[in-house]
Amino acid sequence: MGKITLAIHGGAGTILKANHTDELEQNYTAGLQEALDAGYRLLENGKSSIEAIEASIKSMEDNVLFNAGRGAVFTKKGLNEMDAAIMEGKYLEAGAVTGVRNIKNPVSLARKVLEKSGHVMLSGNGAKDFALQEGVEQAPDDYFFSKYRYDQWVEIRDTDFYQLDHKEDNLKHYDKKFGTVGAVAVDQNGNVAAATSTGGMTNKRFGRIGDSPIFGAGTYANNKTCAISCTGHGEFFIRANVAYDISCLMEYKGLSLNEACNEVIHSKLKAFGGEGGLIAVDQNGNHELCFNSKGMYRAFKNSDGESSLAMFGE
Ligand code: ASP
């Protein structure tokens, strides 16, 4: 029986202790712990990595604190449009949905895409038809309403800014905090899997899709190398092919998980102007929680008895 490991993130960005009341910090701690426990319990009971990561992601999608599912941000038109992806590393099977509305748990719809659609990625109304066909749980618009996200949107809805505008002089409009959620795991059989779910960016326009549902950019899994879920400024992660780049450095250049993650996040992506981070595991149960932003909501646990939960930079 191999070593099991689960890692999760709840987004990266300008996550500073100074911006967190004690209560908020406690709420994030509780939310991350709950999500970690939900997935790890399954791994311990011999379930697959894909089941474990779905459980962890669902827990965060149901928690209004995170920008995914219930807590998804608002688009320019005041809607909640979500992206999600899930991939397993044994057969490289994958499923993703983009720009979906009124789906309670987009990660579960992504898993249905993987298992039942015969396709890899479904978008918007088509994804919704598929969800109806498969009996995937829907939720009304007001389920996705939160005052915090609404106020964030109201502040910038009459501008062309979107929430990930990084220029310092735009800080008024942008708190540089990404709230996407992700999970990666390796199970007792040595199979890895990765999933990511997000509301994208506040005030996003024109059906914008981020890196999260794009395999090789924000999400990727391959038993030969690793499973990865990213968070950060999606446009950069897409252009830099972050997740697949790390996998390639391991597969073709023989880098370790640690070396490959550091190379891409701290050298390549940073030089490119991209901010954010990722979580990753390999078949041997090694894990990485790697970011070039001020902080990242993150946690991990493994069967060597190791675990951690943190938000801020060292
Ligand atoms: N990467 C996500 C996106 O660009 C945002 C995030 O990580 O919070 O849609």
Side-chain angles (χ1 to χ4, degrees):
M1 198 174 79
K3 175 173 165 183
I4 58 174
T5 302
L6 173 71
I8 60 170
H9 72 72
T14 308
I15 295 166
L16 300 168
K17 189 148 182 76
N19 300 340
H20 286 65
T21 60
D22 288 348
E23 192 190 352
L24 193 61
E25 200 174 322
Q26 279 163 17
N27 289 343
Y28 273 111
T29 301
L32 288 169
Q33 192 63 54
E34 218 170 275
L36 192 68
D37 292 346
Y40 196 78
R41 204 178 298 133
L42 295 178
L43 284 180
E44 263 183 331
N45 289 333
K47 300 283 189 210
S48 68
S49 49
I50 205 151
E51 285 181 82
I53 59 172
E54 184 188 5
S56 289
I57 297 267
K58 278 175 79 172
S59 170
M60 291 186 279
E61 286 177 339
D62 292 345
N63 185 334
V64 76
L65 279 181
F66 300 104
N67 173 20
R70 185 168 174 214
V73 298
F74 288 86
T75 67
K76 179 82 176 167
K77 291 185 174 168
L79 305 173
N80 309 99
E81 293 177 355
M82 300 166 287
D83 304 331
I86 193 161
M87 180 166 184
E88 60 79 36
K90 187 174 182 185
Y91 302 110
L92 309 192
E93 288 190 347
V97 290
T98 67
V100 294
R101 300 191 50 219
N102 302 102
I103 300 296
K104 183 168 177 282
N105 292 109
V107 72
S108 299
L109 180 57
R111 188 169 171 195
K112 287 270 189 221
V113 173
L114 181 158
E115 288 171 350
K116 300 234 170 119
S117 72
H119 299 296
V120 168
M121 187 181 277
L122 303 182
S123 69
N125 289 335
K128 188 152 192 178
D129 291 345
F130 177 69
L132 287 170
Q133 180 187 300
E134 293 300 322
V136 171
E137 191 173 354
Q138 314 272 313
D141 284 351
D142 60 7
Y143 172 79
F144 299 92
F145 181 88
S146 73
K147 172 108 177 64
Y148 172 66
R149 297 290 181 209
Y150 182 77
D151 289 347
Q152 267 184 341
W153 170 62
V154 165
E155 205 191 323
I156 61 171
R157 69 179 166 189
D158 296 326
T159 72
D160 285 339
F161 292 115
Y162 58 89
Q163 200 191 356
L164 299 191
D165 192 329
H166 282 249
K167 292 194 185 97
E168 292 299 317
D169 55 359
N170 291 330
L171 275 178
K172 180 159 77 76
H173 297 288
Y174 163 51
D175 66 4
K176 277 184 154 190
K177 205 172 83 179
F178 319 112
T180 292
V181 305
V184 293
V186 56
D187 60 29
Q188 291 178 1
N189 296 320
N191 292 318
V192 303
T196 313
S197 179
T198 187
M201 304 191 311
T202 297
N203 219 32
K204 65 184 180 181
R205 295 185 290 173
F206 314 124
R208 179 264 184 191
I209 304 297
D211 60 313
S212 309
I214 299 179
F215 297 105
T219 307
Y220 189 68
N222 187 337
N223 278 359
K224 277 204 260 181
T225 55
C226 59
I228 298 186
S229 168
C230 300
T231 172
H233 195 155
E235 279 67 9
F236 289 91
F237 281 71
I238 294 171
R239 289 161 61 207
N241 272 292
V242 167
Y244 190 59
D245 210 25
I246 289 168
S247 176
C248 285
L249 285 172
M250 295 176 72
E251 185 171 0
Y252 303 130
K253 289 264 190 178
L255 267 62
S256 69
L257 184 68
N258 175 272
E259 289 165 343
C261 290
N262 281 319
E263 172 68 25
V264 174
I265 291 295
H266 294 296
S267 286
K268 182 176 173 183
L269 189 68
K270 195 139 191 198
F272 201 62
E275 182 181 346
L278 58 82
I279 52 172
V281 296
D282 68 16
Q283 243 191 339
N284 300 321
N286 298 311
H287 74 280
E288 287 299 320
L289 314 166
C290 184
F291 53 96
N292 66 28
S293 48
K294 293 269 186 334
M296 180 168 81
Y297 298 110
R298 61 199 186 274
F300 91 94
K301 187 169 178 173
N302 67 28
S303 51
D304 286 347
E306 297 165 333
S307 66
S308 77
L309 189 156
M311 301 171 202
F312 314 117
E314 302 320 296

